[in-house]
Amino acid sequence: MRTAKITRENKNGIPGGFRLTLRPEASPTLVHVGGDEIIYSESIVAILHKSAVETSRDTQEAVEVVASEGRATDVSSGTPEAFIFTSAGVILCPVTPPTLRKRITGTE
């Protein structure tokens, strides 16, 4: 059974951010994030909706820094719905945060 705790992060009225916390008994889950990209759920630090990135200069700068270091992967064909921050970098993802949440938790 997959077990994870997901909380909605809604600071400054920005919708769509989720924080994933795997419970100790949770086993790693493979998550398809678009294209040919599959990652382990345990590597996810944060999932942000595109509007959270578009409206926050600090978050935009964080994405730019990670990209300049060569640690950004765009699997969205240029139209990301979500930005997945992982322990290895950031993934620009065509899948919405609520759909990613369902894939991680195995819920509908």
Side-chain angles (χ1 to χ4, degrees):
M1 178 176 174
R2 298 178 198 164
T3 57
K5 176 183 177 187
I6 296 185
T7 55
R8 180 175 288 280
E9 297 289 319
N10 190 359
K11 298 184 180 188
N12 301 324
I14 299 170
F18 294 94
R19 180 175 306 278
L20 171 71
T21 306
L22 288 176
R23 295 184 180 140
E25 69 274 10
S27 60
T29 302
L30 289 172
V31 181
H32 178 249
V33 296
D36 293 332
E37 194 75 19
I38 297 173
I39 61 173
Y40 281 107
S41 59
E42 66 185 5
S43 70
I44 297 172
V45 176
I47 299 171
L48 298 178
H49 189 271
K50 65 180 178 182
S51 64
V53 175
E54 292 169 350
T55 58
S56 169
R57 181 175 302 275
D58 292 336
T59 307
Q60 288 174 1
E61 287 177 12
V63 171
E64 290 170 6
V65 167
V66 171
S68 70
E69 294 172 350
R71 297 185 304 126
T73 304
D74 186 354
V75 295
S76 70
S77 299
T79 55
E81 290 294 322
F83 291 76
I84 303 172
F85 288 85
T86 69
S87 54
V90 66
I91 300 169
L92 286 69
C93 174
V95 182
T96 64
T99 300
L100 289 167
R101 179 184 63 188
K102 290 175 188 175
R103 291 180 183 182
I104 293 165
T105 62
T107 60
E108 289 297 320

